[in-house]
Amino acid sequence: MENSPLFKSGHTACAGCGQAIAARLVIEAAGANTIVVNNTGCLEVFSTKYPDTAWGVPWIHSLFENSAAVASGVEAALIYLGKKDATNVIAQGGDGSTGDIGLQALSGMLERGHDILYVCYDNEAYMNTGVQRSGLTPFDTNTTTSPAGAQSSGNIRPKKPVPEICLAHGIPYVATASVGFPQDLSRKVKKAISIKGPKYIQIHASCPLGWRHESNQMLPVAKLAVETGLYPLFEYENGVLTGRKQISPKPVEEYLKTQGRFKHLLNNPEEIKKIQEIADNNIKKYNLKLEA
Ligand SMILES: Cc1ncc(C[n+]2csc(CCOP(=O)(O)OP(=O)(O)O)c2C)c(N)n1
Ligand code: SF4
């Protein structure tokens, strides 16, 4: 991969970090005339190790919970200065900061109608502080705060439907994307940037450390999440489902067996059945199945 002027090499992400690749794809698609506001989390830590920065655009670190609020202020200032039309504003953070502690700030940003793209890098746990469960951790995942053992099969709750929560705000664009499908990801960022108003994109980003897979498996693991129906890729424009990635669904075991966080499930057909049901429901809900 060539070096990128907008997200430079030399940062300190783990080898094979999906979030690092996703962040680079996002900023390259958005372009140089962009201001980024970043919640606390892995991306902030590994890309801005003082006195260095990977960013080739203006970049602001917010608190763990408030990139959406800080970005709202940046957007208001740009409007005041008459520079908003020439500048994109991106607020971004991990799934913990977005879907749990920062959900209120995100909701306010969506409700007020700011012209901002919010990007959630969904690695399905609080990775920067040691793989704790977040609201977006999938059912039955083994994390340090939802340990699998004699008493449980891991996380007891379903994944929080943050894209649907955003949709309920009546915003013009909501999409999911995956680091496993980089062209689709870039296209969605470009489309979102071209639309005025609040936009939300949630990107599934593999984490070799927290998901417990080899660092060279970042792409195939992310792809399998989509190909099993566990991470549906869709886009809504003005509340209408306008795009979805259709698949020839693979059994969920093919995805589960690639990662240590699901290892405890492999000899447990009852739990696998529950996870297959989650995938089947997604396939039905978004009409994902390719006709033969
Ligand atoms: C108010 C507050 N609580 C807790 C923390 C500690 N903290 C820093 S990063 C982080 C985890 C971030 O998780 P997530 O948003 O999912 O991003 P990831 O690191 O997984 O990319 C936590 C809990 C903090 N910085 N501020
Ligand atoms: S812990 Fe996961 S998200 Fe954080 S830098 Fe490492 S691979 Fe990336």
Side-chain angles (χ1 to χ4, degrees), residues 13-14 17 19 42 46 123 127 206-210:
C14 308
C17 173
Q19 191 170 195
C42 269
F46 71 64
N123 56 24
M127 294 308 179
S206 6
C207 167
L209 183 138

